[in-house]
Amino acid sequence: MNKNATLGTGLESFIDEELIWSEMEKATDPEPSLVKDIIAKAKERKGLTPFEAAVLLKNKDKELDNEIFEAAIEVKKGIYGNRLVLFAPLYVSNECANQCAYCGFNATNEDLKRRTLTAEEIHKEVEVLEDLGHKRLLLVYGEHPKYDAAWIAQTVREVYSVTSRKSGEIRRVNINCAPLDVEGFRKLHDVGIGTYQCFHETYHQETYKKYHLAGRKTDYNWRLYAMHRAMEAGIDDVGMGALFGLFDPIFEVMGLLYHAKQLEIDCGVGPHTISFPRIEPAQNSDLALNPPFLSSPHDFKKIVAVLRLAVPYTGLILSTRENPETRKELLEVGVSQISGGSRTYPGAYSDPEYDRPEVQQFCIGDSRSLDETIRSIVGDHGYVPSWCTACYRLGRTGEHFMELAKTGFIQKFCLPNGLLTFKEYLEDYASEETKKVGEELIKNEIENYADPERRKLLIDRLARMENGERDLYL
């Protein structure tokens, strides 16, 4: 690792804006033969350079765009098969000292009702989520000086301690919180967090400065090196993202890819996940109501597809910011993880009123329940919903995970373990309608499973689950 990254301050940005602009200009109006060559390279699952990604994004030939979409789903299924990981965000606090022009948590937003969950309230929220069938949570926090790493670590302990009815327990807690120093990240590592997630929002420094008006988040480089510090602290898996709508989307995609490349150079492995949220309306934010760089549905779909081709072994996360129709579209171009039944404010899951703009960070586009979401995943796409956490508990993380993924070996674990977690959901939580389509999917997957030995193990474990056993995996 680049030891300068451990300092966290006084560092230069590794995002070379002049290079990005130069490559974007060079990629303008690409020859069809070049586009086809890059698509062919992408199908080899070796990834793309930022310039090659720019070429695909700059392509204007709709027929070639369709080839990009087809290649993206081919690559995704070749690596991950037809499974789709599910999670839910749990907002622990909306108190924040930053002034971000696009966010409802903006410290100057006096109309937002501020709230930080107590230990008892965290338990209540987790119990509700467990009773819905969730096994993987993303804890979300505002950035405020009074909530340090030790306090965040304690909230993680609280979540892991809750066990509710049926097979209810949270098996993986991921974190989305403000960048910490190395010692702070070690505190999170020590309590067993999974992925540390932090979005840079925009990689264009002038735009970053324009929309981050006060608070620690104004420090571009402190945030840029957050992943380096997390990995130095022992956190194997990190997740990055950009907020699309703030600046030129092609620039942002290239920024993400150069960020991923720098992590590989300095830390030996790139990001575990990449997210691509778009600005949604937020309370008292004119910017959120009128994003300066809107992407058309077609262009946004292409962004997701190109990310899949550029970083084939990285999980692509889609949130409930997008409406159900858009989510269906994007699932077919390479998304591998989605949130389901999400709510975006502290105390939301135990709140019977639910839709309350005076407390939430932004408006969500997909308000379907988890059960409805799962039924769509199975019925509309034929995907296997997965809550698998076996790799994390068996040490298949970070560089080791990427090594397995690149050989295709990971599919020997992902599909059967996904089926087992889906069976657990069907047994304990699903509606009758969802259980019917789910059991049919499992039956078909077993009939078509190619490995006889693993097929036998899978059938055995599924039978054991019907007899009451839980949390079985390979």
Side-chain angles (χ1 to χ4, degrees):
M1 176 183 288
N2 177 357
K3 292 302 180 181
N4 286 335
T6 67
L7 301 177
T9 57
L11 298 171
E12 292 185 1
S13 170
F14 49 75
I15 302 297
D16 187 335
E17 294 190 6
E18 289 188 9
L19 174 61
I20 291 177
W21 287 124
S22 173
E23 291 185 327
M24 286 175 63
E25 178 65 26
K26 185 179 176 182
T28 302
D29 296 324
E31 291 292 330
S33 59
L34 176 60
V35 176
K36 284 181 173 291
D37 287 346
I38 293 173
I39 294 172
K41 176 188 175 183
K43 288 182 178 181
E44 297 176 3
R45 305 179 200 168
K46 296 179 181 178
L48 300 176
T49 67
F51 169 71
E52 290 168 336
V55 169
L56 297 187
L57 291 169
K58 290 272 192 176
N59 170 66
K60 301 300 181 185
D61 185 324
K62 289 300 197 298
E63 290 187 9
L64 287 176
D65 278 355
N66 288 334
E67 291 187 27
I68 292 170
F69 298 147
E70 291 169 2
I73 193 61
E74 177 183 326
V75 167
K76 187 266 180 179
K77 287 188 174 180
I79 296 169
Y80 295 104
N82 66 333
R83 74 178 179 98
L84 189 66
V85 174
L86 287 106
F87 71 96
L90 171 56
Y91 281 68
V92 180
S93 174
N94 63 7
E95 297 188 63
C96 192
N98 294 322
Q99 294 179 25
C100 305
Y102 48 81
C103 183
F105 289 0
N106 189 322
T108 64
N109 183 8
E110 296 181 357
D111 292 327
L112 181 73
K113 292 185 178 180
R114 305 287 175 174
R115 181 179 180 185
T116 296
L117 299 182
T118 65
E120 182 179 350
E121 289 169 336
I122 290 173
H123 276 245
K124 187 175 181 180
E125 289 285 281
V126 174
E127 285 176 349
V128 173
L129 286 160
E130 288 178 345
D131 284 344
L132 292 172
H134 281 292
K135 297 291 185 289
R136 302 164 61 109
L137 297 185
L138 172 69
L139 304 191
V140 184
Y141 309 79
E143 180 172 7
H144 199 285
K146 64 182 178 181
Y147 299 127
D148 59 10
W151 176 80
I152 294 172
Q154 181 56 35
T155 65
V156 174
R157 293 189 191 96
E158 299 289 352
V159 171
Y160 276 135
S161 72
V162 181
T163 302
S164 62
R165 301 179 300 114
K166 301 177 181 178
S167 57
E169 61 180 351
I170 301 303
R171 297 171 187 162
R172 180 169 170 94
V173 173
N174 299 328
I175 292 289
N176 184 314
C177 71
L180 304 170
D181 58 20
V182 174
E183 187 56 37
F185 280 124
R186 286 201 181 102
K187 287 183 172 67
L188 299 188
H189 175 260
D190 290 346
V191 294
I193 74 162
T195 301
Y196 169 68
Q197 183 188 84
C198 181
F199 303 160
H200 199 70
E201 317 299 10
T202 174
Y203 286 92
H204 186 247
Q205 291 207 39
E206 184 178 338
T207 302
Y208 189 97
K209 183 178 180 180
K210 180 179 179 181
Y211 295 134
H212 298 101
L213 305 175
R216 186 63 190 270
K217 198 169 177 177
T218 58
D219 191 333
Y220 180 100
N221 286 344
W222 174 255
R223 194 171 188 86
L224 188 63
Y225 281 91
M227 304 303 179
H228 286 74
R229 297 192 300 276
M231 297 185 87
E232 182 180 345
I235 298 173
D236 287 337
D237 296 335
V238 296
M240 62 176 60
L243 181 58
F244 284 84
L246 292 179
F247 193 61
D248 186 305
I250 299 178
F251 186 99
E252 302 294 18
V253 169
M254 296 183 73
L256 282 167
L257 296 179
Y258 274 116
H259 195 168
K261 182 178 180 180
Q262 196 67 40
L263 279 178
E264 289 186 357
I265 293 170
D266 294 341
C267 306
V269 64
H272 187 65
T273 60
I274 288 179
S275 300
F276 34 87
R278 289 195 287 183
I279 296 178
E280 291 294 328
Q283 186 186 55
N284 291 341
S285 171
D286 291 337
L287 176 64
L289 291 173
N290 301 284
F293 286 87
L294 284 173
S295 296
S296 69
H298 178 86
D299 287 346
F300 188 58
K301 181 179 178 180
K302 192 156 71 165
I303 286 168
V304 178
V306 170
L307 282 171
R308 169 51 65 211
L309 298 176
V311 283
Y313 300 97
T314 297
L316 296 186
I317 298 179
L318 179 62
S319 78
T320 51
R321 287 174 181 257
E322 304 298 336
N323 62 42
E325 291 72 26
T326 300
R327 298 217 318 161
K328 287 179 183 179
E329 282 271 312
L330 298 182
L331 286 181
E332 294 301 335
V333 290
V335 167
S336 56
Q337 297 188 28
I338 66 168
S339 53
S342 303
R343 301 186 177 187
T344 62
Y345 61 91
Y349 295 102
S350 52
D351 182 355
E353 294 184 34
Y354 172 45
D355 189 15
R356 298 178 57 197
E358 77 275 14
V359 290
Q360 63 188 9
Q361 186 179 24
F362 55 84
C363 296
I364 65 172
D366 186 351
S367 58
R368 292 176 298 174
S369 68
L370 177 62
D371 193 76
E372 290 173 310
T373 301
I374 290 169
R375 193 158 61 248
S376 173
I377 290 169
V378 175
D380 296 340
H381 302 279
Y383 287 170
V384 175
S386 174
W387 293 263
C388 179
T389 57
C391 282
Y392 313 115
R393 289 188 279 173
L394 294 173
R396 299 192 289 251
T397 60
E399 191 171 1
H400 183 40
F401 174 86
M402 288 298 177
E403 289 171 354
L404 290 172
K406 289 176 181 179
T407 63
F409 187 62
I410 198 68
Q411 283 202 52
K412 294 186 178 181
F413 298 108
C414 290
L415 179 57
N417 286 339
L419 287 168
L420 289 169
T421 62
F422 185 35
K423 177 67 171 178
E424 189 173 56
Y425 176 83
L426 296 177
E427 289 292 317
D428 292 345
Y429 305 103
S431 65
E432 286 302 315
E433 187 178 356
T434 299
K435 187 169 184 178
K436 181 179 179 180
V437 298
E439 292 290 1
E440 185 65 24
L441 176 69
I442 291 176
K443 178 183 175 182
N444 291 337
E445 290 293 331
I446 292 173
E447 288 177 351
N448 296 317
Y449 201 74
D451 187 327
E453 184 176 343
R454 285 183 174 271
R455 182 173 179 270
K456 184 178 179 180
L457 289 173
L458 179 57
I459 291 172
D460 172 71
R461 281 165 173 72
L462 289 169
R464 287 164 58 186
M465 296 188 92
E466 289 182 352
N467 291 325
E469 289 190 59
R470 296 293 181 264
D471 196 18
L472 302 177
Y473 51 86
L474 303 181

